[in-house]
Amino acid sequence: MPAAAHSASEPHESRVAPGTVRRAVVVGGNRIPFARTGGAYAKSSNQDMLTAALDGLIARFGLQEERIGEVAAGAVLKHSRDFNLTREAVLGSALSPETPAYDLQQACATGLETVLGLANKIKLGQIDSAIAGGVDSASDAPIAVSEGLREVLLDLNRAKSLPERLKILARLRPKDLAPDAPNTGEPRTGLSMGEHQALTTAQWKISREAQDEIAFNSHHNLAAAYDRGFFDDLVTPYRGLSRDSNLRPDTSMDKLATLKPVFGKSLGAEATMTAGNSTPLTDGASTVLLGSEEWADARGLPKLAVVVDGEAAAVDFVHGKDGLLMAPVFAVPRLLARNGLTFEDIDFFEIHEAFAGTVLSTLAAWEDEEFGRTRLGLDGALGKIDRAKLNVNGSSLAAGHPFAATGGRIVASLAKMLHDNGPLDGRPARGLISVCAAGGQGVVAILEAYSAPEGR
Amino acid sequence: MTDKYTQFVSHGFGKDLAKKLGLPQPAVLRRYKAGEPLVPGPVLVIGSGNGKTAGSDDLAAALAGWGLDVRRSALPKEKLGAIVVVLDAVEHPDELAGPVLTAAPSLRDLAAGGRVVTVSRTSASAANPAVAAGRQGVDGLLRSLAKELRAGATANGILLGDGAGTTSPSTLGALRFFLSGRSAFVDGQFLTVGSGAGQLSADADKPLAGKVAVVTGAARGIGAAIARTLHRDGAGLVVVDIPAAGDHLADVANEVHGTALQLDITAEDAGNRIIDHAVERHGGLDILIHNAGITRDKLLANMDEGRWNSVIGVNIASQLRINEALLGAEQLRNTPRIVSVASTSGIAGNRGQTNYAASKGGVIGMVRATAPLLAERGSSINAVAPGFIETDMTARIPFATREVARRLNSLQQGGLPGDVAEAIAFLASDAAGGITGEVLRVCGQNLVGA
Ligand SMILES: NC(=O)c1ccc[n+]([C@@H]2O[C@H](COP(=O)([O-])OP(=O)(O)OC[C@H]3O[C@@H](n4cnc5c(N)ncnc54)[C@H](O)[C@@H]3O)[C@@H](O)[C@H]2O)c1
């Protein structure tokens, strides 16, 4: 039974000797189904959705009134009213109001980075439990006023007399009244993410068919996972949705082949990226419950997987040295080397499908001898992964991609897959997560099925 | 909430109007609230013979021990909270007159929401025709009296089997339940106490403290009310419902500080998943409430396989499979008490509900046959058969039919989900340990059925 809530002044349950590190485990997760923008969650704010995802997690694990060590989450598209988004969501949830929280933002890697940061705090003994998460709404996106209107409004606020105010208002021009909607364009290149990826896709000569196949597998794997009940303890319905609304269980290669390219059209015959093999704008939220082993044991909570390690990388896409979404290509070999692992040691690959072209360009770079030698500093190619181990329960092309919520979706699902698999070849099953992000960034991580330490 | 009609005819203009037109005047029922007295006034305890028997003396002493104001004879014009008629010594129909006619004048003095409870012996345990006649007479008497009471007062009976006496734990437990506001919508019913098993709770407001309970179909309606009531009574909770109802289920779980298990109970492994969840997260399983149920109404002539099979599958087949898993489970230190939700349709039948009534009749049969299996392990199983209860399920009934259905009982109103929950909470408690294999109707003494 969940133990009584801690009092606000009570210290941690377990002390970690300085200089030592303990394990951080994934207890489980919860997300709301992801919805295509303008759909079921058109009227839901970031705070509504994050609170709903938290409340579902609290209900699943009986965390009502519990003081969690720390909650970290974030959103990529934020309103100014979202300045303390995570803390506000905690206050609106069934958790103890004495649970601290902070916001984090690293574009699409936000969710995964919250997991890594909080896991590190648990490993160091700073906290015993944590909830990582992310949320995004492209429906309820912040609309900014134009720079002209903004200046006028600020001056108006400072003006002291009526004539002064009228004079300021007279400065307004019709064009100042047009709102500034957010876009996914890169500030330094002016190109959208899709246009950037189209260049990379063409550079690595990724075929249209190969991209459609990734999309096809994503939909079919995700649909099969839902049918199997895989998501019964990972997803809680919200606003009438109980499955991701972007999911097309009946899509076919033929249907995907009929779609017209939407990105890279200036590339002429080489344009291969369609609405079918690119993720749509999506709304949604996800959460992951993390804890020390002792914390989980004291509450009879599951220990699905261990957060082993993580790595971030960034590329110089501004000068065209690498593609915008190619940072994980560099992060993964560094992470594997640090942990003394190769692709052979990985049983599940979770490569976020921003675009099918991203996944395939990433794999192509890893399989390329010359790239391995010249760019990764290896003797040859990093290696080829077994496609049967890739995104086996679907990924973003089918589920959708509410930017900051994707990391939490992947971590919770992967942790469950690892747990369901248990040991493989006498070692715990292992999974690799790779998430690309705007700004030429990428965050990758390794999770391992939980196994009790020797002698326990 | 009490329905709008009941609210309207309970005060001022509405009350006068209903009286003049001879319309039904349902009372606002006396329901349990923590901290309120058990009964709304003194309790008159009458025994057979000259008004006193050993059984009635012991019982009166027990009630006095609860701090109740117990009377052995009525004072003129004094309002009474309850009248308990102890008929355990009746051996001939002739012996009914004494105690019954002694109690009769006091019925006028029964307070609103008052209670009449008879305590007698089961006729099945009598070999002698005269003894059986005397005992069975109580059945007709009580059911008729329940129909004569007004202002939300009810009459119910406790039947003692061979192994039980007037102060057995479950006799006292059942008496406390019938006297209290917890039995508001139970009227004209009997509960049989078969043995001296069971134990009264030390804390009458938290009778389920320390217990772990599982409630299926808990996302809404009666199931959500059961979860709230068990939580109020001190139990830790696992709430179960289909994944598609997960958002409402999460709300209920967070309200009752329990854990939510999104699970279709018709799944092959549902029993083991429930047991594993309860044991791993809560350290055990003490109470299981089979509440999840569906209706797929059609006249039998128009019935299709889908409607028939889904109702049987959810309402009874799943319960059989889950119980089997419970009986075979090795992780459980004790066998949980089980309470299953049946329906008056399963007793009296209902047009358009052949499939549903078959499933609910099935629940009653299952409960009866499972009782001996659980008795061996010191546990119990009972069913509660709700009549017309105001929920989403009954809100789908067409208006006119619904309006008639909710008035067709002695209390002239539909029950609330909480009324069913109260009966379930009582049967799930250790105080009801001597009661097993029983079906308790929570129907306001519906005109149809047994
Ligand atoms: N409402 C009444 O008047 C009335 C009368 C007699 C009996 N009952 C019985 O009471 C019980 C509750 O009824 P209610 O009125 O609250 O109904 P309801 O429809 O409001 O709630 C039933 C709940 O059971 C859940 N459920 C259905 N199938 C399930 C499955 N396969 N697995 C898990 N959960 C499932 C539903 O999702 C729902 O949340 C039922 O057994 C019903 O037959 C109700």
Side-chain angles (χ1 to χ4, degrees):
Chain A
M1 190 171 311
H6 308 195
S7 84
S9 57
E10 201 180 317
H12 300 322
E13 285 159 18
S14 44
R15 297 251 156 228
V16 177
T20 60
V21 164
R22 60 178 177 176
R23 300 206 280 183
V25 299
V26 178
V27 170
N30 182 57
R31 67 180 178 94
I32 56 175
F34 294 167
R36 286 173 68 101
T37 291
Y41 310 160
K43 297 257 155 57
S44 308
S45 68
N46 280 335
Q47 195 184 317
D48 294 339
M49 292 190 288
L50 184 57
T51 309
L54 273 175
D55 273 336
L57 187 81
I58 296 161
R60 181 160 303 137
F61 296 106
L63 304 175
Q64 302 86 7
E65 305 292 327
E66 184 99 11
R67 174 163 68 91
I68 295 293
E70 207 153 31
V71 179
V76 172
L77 299 177
K78 263 180 147 184
H79 288 262
S80 53
R81 65 162 187 258
D82 286 340
F83 74 98
N84 216 0
L85 174 65
T86 311
R87 171 66 181 149
E88 288 299 329
V90 165
L91 284 174
S93 78
L95 287 176
S96 159
E98 291 167 353
T99 298
Y102 64 92
D103 283 21
L104 184 145
Q105 204 212 64
Q106 195 176 19
C108 304
T110 302
L112 184 54
E113 185 56 30
T114 58
V115 170
L116 292 173
L118 290 169
N120 285 347
K121 288 194 175 201
I122 291 171
K123 291 182 192 186
L124 289 175
Q126 294 170 345
I127 51 176
D128 292 319
S129 62
I131 297 174
V135 56
D136 255 295
S137 169
S139 300
D140 187 39
I143 303 279
V145 296
S146 71
E147 206 46 27
L149 178 55
R150 198 175 71 89
E151 277 170 19
V152 167
L153 290 173
L154 288 172
D155 285 348
L156 208 55
N157 202 28
R158 285 188 283 261
K160 291 193 180 63
S161 65
L162 183 64
E164 223 181 311
R165 288 198 188 105
L166 288 173
K167 215 170 104 193
I168 293 168
L169 276 175
R171 288 186 353 226
L172 268 184
R173 294 289 166 265
K175 72 169 169 46
D176 293 333
L177 297 177
D180 241 7
N183 61 43
T184 52
E186 280 295 327
R188 285 170 193 279
T189 60
L191 285 184
S192 74
M193 208 175 252
E195 290 303 328
H196 265 290
Q197 180 58 48
L199 295 172
T200 312
T201 305
Q203 184 200 334
W204 287 99
K205 303 197 168 40
I206 307 297
S207 75
R208 163 78 184 264
E209 202 188 352
Q211 293 175 60
D212 286 351
E213 197 183 333
I214 293 275
F216 174 84
N217 287 339
S218 193
H219 284 280
H220 283 262
N221 288 343
L222 186 71
Y226 269 110
D227 291 344
R228 240 185 16 252
F230 179 77
F231 290 109
D232 285 358
D233 57 359
L234 290 170
V235 173
T236 302
Y238 185 58
R239 304 221 166 197
L241 270 194
S242 45
R243 288 186 176 199
D244 309 310
S245 70
N246 187 56
L247 175 60
R248 300 281 172 275
D250 53 352
T251 196
S252 66
M253 288 297 285
D254 288 345
K255 262 190 214 163
L256 287 164
T258 60
L259 300 171
K260 290 206 170 58
V262 289
F263 298 115
K265 283 189 280 201
S266 59
L267 302 172
E270 283 175 278
T272 54
M273 293 175 50
T274 67
N277 59 39
S278 310
T279 47
L281 286 175
T282 327
D283 307 334
S286 69
T287 54
V288 178
L289 179 60
L290 303 164
S292 67
E293 293 169 82
E294 297 80 2
W295 184 85
D297 289 343
R299 285 156 187 79
L301 293 172
K303 301 183 289 283
L304 301 181
V306 178
V307 182
V308 177
D309 200 1
E311 174 85 14
V315 293
D316 179 7
F317 69 100
V318 181
H319 303 98
K321 187 171 173 192
D322 285 293
L324 175 72
L325 302 178
M326 294 296 272
V329 170
F330 300 90
V332 164
R334 301 206 294 248
L335 180 67
L336 288 176
R338 180 161 69 237
N339 287 275
L341 301 172
T342 69
F343 279 165
E344 294 299 305
D345 303 308
I346 306 290
D347 308 297
F348 296 97
F349 291 87
E350 283 293 327
I351 304 183
H352 158 53
E353 299 165 339
F355 303 89
T358 316
V359 177
L360 291 165
S361 303
T362 302
L363 298 182
W366 285 337
E367 287 167 18
D368 194 275
E369 294 278 338
E370 191 183 332
F371 188 88
R373 266 197 311 275
T374 59
R375 301 298 314 284
L376 301 178
L378 305 171
D379 294 338
L382 176 65
K384 200 174 165 75
I385 73 165
D386 179 353
R387 289 292 187 89
K389 298 177 178 173
L390 175 65
N391 299 345
V392 295
N393 286 317
S395 185
S396 306
L397 285 170
H401 170 42
F403 312 119
T406 290
R409 169 184 71 74
I410 296 176
V411 169
S413 296
L414 176 61
K416 179 171 173 176
M417 289 177 225
L418 293 168
H419 173 76
D420 289 354
N421 249 278
L424 275 171
D425 306 333
R427 58 159 178 84
R430 215 175 267 128
L432 176 72
I433 300 172
S434 161
V435 179
C436 58
Q441 305 210 80
V443 176
V444 302
I446 294 172
L447 260 54
E448 208 171 77
Y450 177 83
S451 61
E454 303 283 319
R456 276 228 270 164
Chain B
M1 277 295 98
T2 308
D3 66 86
K4 291 214 174 65
Y5 177 82
T6 303
Q7 280 168 10
F8 178 68
V9 298
S10 298
H11 313 279
F13 170 71
K15 191 171 176 174
D16 293 343
L17 185 72
K19 219 177 209 156
K20 287 209 180 83
L21 295 176
L23 292 177
Q25 281 186 280
V28 175
L29 303 182
R30 174 171 69 90
R31 294 191 162 90
Y32 172 83
K33 279 198 203 80
E36 285 196 353
L38 186 69
V39 278
V43 181
L44 174 63
V45 179
I46 295 172
S48 37
N50 59 2
K52 295 203 177 188
T53 56
S56 67
D57 286 347
D58 294 348
L59 191 73
L63 294 186
W66 294 349
L68 294 179
D69 182 1
V70 176
R71 301 286 152 82
R72 298 311 310 270
S73 51
L75 302 175
K77 297 269 171 242
E78 188 193 40
K79 280 280 176 206
L80 291 170
I83 303 169
V84 179
V85 189
V86 186
L87 303 168
D88 65 315
V90 169
E91 306 240 295
H92 192 283
D94 285 348
E95 293 171 21
L96 289 172
V100 169
L101 296 178
T102 307
S106 294
L107 291 169
R108 282 209 182 77
D109 297 326
L110 200 59
R115 300 284 188 259
V116 176
V117 183
T118 59
V119 181
S120 58
R121 296 210 157 267
T122 56
S123 64
S125 57
N128 181 307
V131 175
R135 292 179 181 179
Q136 187 69 31
V138 178
D139 190 275
L141 154 72
L142 187 277
R143 290 182 200 275
S144 302
L145 173 58
K147 295 185 183 192
E148 294 177 7
L149 298 180
R150 291 290 172 263
T154 63
N156 293 289
I158 297 169
L159 297 174
L160 307 176
D162 281 340
T166 57
T167 54
S168 294
S170 290
T171 308
L172 295 177
L175 184 56
R176 179 177 268 279
F177 170 70
F178 282 141
L179 290 176
S180 76
R182 294 176 193 253
S183 66
F185 199 59
V186 181
D187 198 7
Q189 305 304 313
F190 285 93
L191 263 179
T192 300
V193 179
S195 74
Q199 203 180 354
L200 284 179
S201 161
D203 181 351
D205 283 326
K206 295 272 176 225
L208 303 179
K211 305 285 185 190
V212 177
V214 172
V215 182
T216 68
R220 63 178 205 187
I222 294 172
I226 296 169
R228 289 186 190 107
T229 303
L230 298 183
H231 169 65
R232 180 203 67 195
D233 284 355
L237 279 153
V238 177
V239 291
V240 179
D241 212 298
I242 50 171
D247 41 355
H248 299 294
L249 186 69
D251 290 344
V252 174
N254 286 343
E255 189 187 331
V256 303
H257 288 206
T259 56
L261 176 60
Q262 299 188 159
L263 171 71
D264 185 331
I265 53 160
T266 61
E268 210 55 54
D269 60 347
N272 285 325
R273 285 175 59 190
I274 288 172
I275 296 164
D276 288 348
H277 181 104
V279 170
E280 281 163 24
R281 303 286 187 80
H282 300 260
L285 173 51
D286 305 298
I287 293 167
L288 171 63
I289 313 297
H290 287 301
N291 162 76
I294 56 170
T295 50
R296 295 286 182 272
D297 296 359
K298 267 278 177 227
L299 294 178
L300 186 56
N302 304 327
M303 185 66 68
D304 56 77
E305 213 176 317
R307 281 194 172 78
W308 184 275
N309 288 341
S310 57
V311 167
I312 300 290
V314 174
N315 294 5
I316 176 64
S318 69
Q319 297 191 8
L320 286 167
R321 209 164 28 235
I322 292 169
N323 288 355
E324 223 165 89
L326 276 186
L327 289 168
E330 278 160 15
Q331 332 60 321
L332 295 176
R333 30 162 217 240
N334 51 336
T335 307
R337 292 197 191 288
I338 303 175
V339 186
S340 201
V341 180
S343 167
T344 48
S345 295
I347 300 172
N350 200 8
R351 187 181 145 88
Q353 292 199 319
T354 49
N355 52 353
Y356 182 74
S359 74
K360 295 299 188 178
V363 167
I364 293 170
M366 176 274 282
V367 162
R368 197 176 296 135
T370 309
L373 304 178
L374 292 187
E376 287 167 16
R377 302 156 180 244
S379 188
S380 64
I381 178 167
N382 291 286
V384 165
F388 185 95
I389 305 298
E390 309 280 357
T391 68
D392 291 346
M393 196 185 249
T394 47
R396 285 203 308 257
I397 300 173
F399 174 78
T401 320
R402 185 168 76 231
E403 192 47 35
V404 171
R406 63 157 71 107
R407 307 285 166 224
L408 274 184
N409 61 57
S410 298
L411 298 171
Q412 300 177 322
Q413 57 192 295
L416 301 184
D419 297 334
V420 181
E422 296 286 9
I424 286 173
F426 165 62
L427 291 171
S429 72
D430 288 343
I435 302 170
T436 192
E438 289 288 292
V439 182
L440 178 61
R441 294 177 47 169
V442 181
C443 64
Q445 197 176 28
N446 204 307
L447 298 184
V448 293

